[in-house]
Amino acid sequence: MNDAARIEELYTELEQDAVFYQPEHFVFSPAGSRSAQLETILNSDSQIMLVAEDNKKVIGFAHVVLSKAKAFSCLKPQSNIYLQDLVVTSSYRSKGIGTQLLEAAKAYGRENKVDFFRTQVFPMNKAGLRFYERNGFKQTMITIECPLK
């Protein structure tokens, strides 16, 4: 929680991309609102917040959620970790920090004996797609939607 203000700043960077790529779905969080979410994450048994630091300043983070298998008869009983959010501050990008955060998340998944690692990326975020592909991710499903308003 000592880094809540800095994590809030990083969330703003992340939200800039989200609002840019999909303004129909994303808005900027009210100032200070991410601190309550951070506290929830830190007190959870099924979520972690991994941080990257440089000289004790947080320069990136990965928010990871542990998910157990859904109880549907047609689904294999598999568990996963889900990368909810990943951000590295812009001046530190392309230096391997995102990959280090992903590797730490993968280690968390292995420790929890999950079957796979899942996330989402905006389809027009070509750099993000390349990043995830370089780190072992592949497309397995495509999300589609139909606006009703």
Side-chain angles (χ1 to χ4, degrees), residues 107-144:
Y108 171 74
R110 288 183 196 102
E111 289 168 16
N112 284 281
K113 300 182 181 0
V114 301
D115 298 294
F116 58 94
F117 191 180
R118 177 177 280 160
T119 194
Q120 294 177 311
V121 62
F122 297 114
M124 41 299 209
N125 182 353
K126 301 303 181 197
L129 286 165
R130 282 191 306 274
F131 167 75
Y132 288 113
E133 287 170 357
R134 279 194 315 270
N135 283 282
F137 287 78
K138 64 181 180 174
Q139 191 174 103
T140 59
M141 298 280 269
I142 297 175
T143 301
I144 59 175

Side-chain angles (χ1 to χ4, degrees), residues 49-64:
M49 177 70 77
L50 302 164
V51 297
E53 296 180 327
D54 184 24
N55 292 320
K56 298 188 180 192
K57 180 180 180 182
V58 176
I59 57 170
F61 69 78
H63 171 200
V64 181

